[in-house]
Amino acid sequence: MGLRSAVIVFPGSNCDRDVAVALEQSTGQAPAMVWHKESDFPEVDLMVLPGGFSYGDYLRCGAMAVHSPVTREVKRRAEAGVPTLGICNGFQVLTEMGLLPGALLRNADLDFVCRDVHLRVENTQTLFTHRYASDQPIRIPVAHHDGNYYADETTLDALADNGQIAFRYVDEEGEVTSGANPNGSLKNIAGVFNASKTVLGLMPHPERLSDPQLGGNDGRPLFDGLVEALQ
Amino acid sequence: MKAKVHVTLKPGVLDPQGKAVEGALAALGFAGVESVRQGKFLEIELAGDDRDAAERQVAEMCEKLLANTVIEKYDVEIGD
């Protein structure tokens, strides 16, 4: 039996099918697609909150999704240790749920940014990132208007000390520069873990470059790595 | 009763939209604009007439939904 996964689908999610394709490619079986009104769903090894614009980004990105029936169950399971991945809007939802520290603000230059970026994997000793090398920048697309990571100084220091920074925006040579930062994120942070490294949120979209036919494959080790770690 | 709620970014949290408005006001020739912070304003109609209870209830609404207290602060004013 392969890795069992679930993709949580909110009204306004639009990367749910993309991530389902990437998951099926790596796990060998289609994920359960779980609609936001479900208050329960089958037992799974991995939960994924996809990108998109849940509830039209009303009030704040991710704010309304927190109060969906399904989200209570996602939170319960994530707190019990079920690995959880949030991509783009999914990352915003995880911060609003309080499962990940910090918040995502409007991009510093106010533009919607949609292009490939380079990332450095800051912690390769996790379920999600063990297939990556820390000295090898990866290329993954971003597509967001509100990806400007913010946390207060104390939280930023704690994230660094605990290995909770997952990815940082870098240039092609792997250097953290302001020019490589697409949205103004503090410390160029593109993704963070919770304290136990079982929850990951990131703004870039690994599912969009998980097949060479799509122009790149740097997203795939994340999904393959999860399969290897969780089976 | 009516509750008026202002939700704004905390001091020190970058407000790029406020900054853009500030720049636009300067470009229009409005002198002396030292800074602009953008936020949200909500009006909530409430049943009953217990103002203290209303204030507590709206504060709870802010904590649970209306504001993200990682980045935002809120002010509640209860009126008629």
Side-chain angles (χ1 to χ4, degrees):
Chain A
M1 180 115 166
L3 179 116
R4 300 162 303 169
S5 58
V7 177
I8 311 301
V9 186
F10 300 103
S13 295
N14 65 9
C15 301
D16 43 324
R17 281 175 287 181
D18 298 39
V19 80
V21 169
L23 284 166
E24 185 165 358
Q25 178 179 249
S26 291
T27 67
Q29 62 181 328
M33 305 302 280
V34 181
W35 184 235
H36 72 116
K37 287 188 174 169
E38 305 294 332
S39 53
D40 200 8
F41 54 91
E43 195 180 322
V44 293
D45 309 303
L46 171 71
M47 301 184 289
V48 180
L49 279 64
F53 301 85
S54 57
Y55 299 87
D57 281 350
Y58 290 175
L59 195 64
R60 293 180 307 280
C61 303
M64 310 302 285
V66 173
H67 303 282
S68 279
V70 75
T71 312
R72 258 171 248 134
E73 181 62 12
V74 170
K75 185 166 188 186
R76 190 188 69 73
R77 294 192 194 190
E79 285 174 344
V82 176
T84 306
L85 169 66
I87 300 168
C88 198
N89 186 232
F91 183 16
Q92 295 163 341
V93 174
L94 289 172
T95 61
E96 285 280 343
M97 287 168 76
L99 286 173
L100 289 175
L104 285 313
L105 298 169
R106 177 55 47 98
N107 292 348
D109 63 4
L110 299 175
D111 286 335
F112 188 98
V113 56
C114 183
R115 61 177 167 85
D116 289 357
V117 297
H118 288 86
L119 302 175
R120 187 167 76 198
V121 185
E122 296 289 319
N123 181 349
T124 58
Q125 308 294 311
T126 75
L127 294 173
F128 301 92
T129 54
H130 63 100
R131 284 273 186 109
Y132 291 115
S134 53
D135 57 354
Q136 185 62 55
I138 58 172
R139 181 173 61 90
I140 304 275
V142 291
H144 60 248
H145 210 165
D146 299 86
N148 179 354
Y149 186 78
Y150 173 85
D152 61 35
E153 280 292 329
T154 315
T155 306
L156 288 173
D157 289 345
L159 290 177
D161 291 347
N162 300 335
Q164 284 178 255
I165 300 174
F167 301 100
R168 295 172 79 190
Y169 301 108
V170 293
D171 63 18
E172 283 185 50
E173 279 74 48
E175 297 301 319
V176 174
T177 64
S178 57
N181 187 338
N183 52 31
S185 290
L186 293 179
K187 311 269 189 202
N188 282 41
I189 289 173
V192 296
F193 299 109
N194 65 343
S196 60
K197 322 289 190 305
T198 54
V199 178
L200 167 65
L202 74 167
M203 289 311 297
H205 286 269
E207 79 281 13
R208 292 195 188 176
L209 278 186
S210 289
D211 182 335
Q213 292 186 72
L214 297 175
N217 209 20
D218 283 357
R220 181 151 185 183
L222 189 148
F223 300 102
D224 286 350
L226 281 165
V227 172
E228 189 185 348
L230 296 175
Q231 268 184 346
Chain B
M1 283 183 302
K2 185 180 278 183
K4 296 182 174 181
V5 182
H6 285 93
V7 180
T8 45
L9 290 167
K10 287 177 176 175
V13 176
L14 180 72
D15 176 10
Q17 295 177 101
K19 277 276 170 220
V21 172
E22 189 183 311
L25 290 174
L28 285 168
F30 289 101
V33 177
E34 291 184 349
S35 84
V36 177
R37 301 287 281 174
Q38 182 175 312
K40 295 187 186 82
F41 174 62
L42 299 102
E43 275 187 343
I44 305 172
E45 294 284 351
L46 294 164
D49 54 9
D50 183 339
R51 297 170 83 98
D52 290 343
E55 204 157 320
R56 283 195 301 276
Q57 189 189 27
V58 176
E60 194 184 343
M61 291 178 193
C62 290
E63 293 286 335
K64 284 193 171 165
L65 178 66
L66 303 180
N68 176 346
T69 55
V70 174
I71 47 173
E72 294 170 326
K73 62 185 178 64
Y74 57 86
D75 295 298
V76 177
E77 186 189 323
I78 305 289
D80 294 320

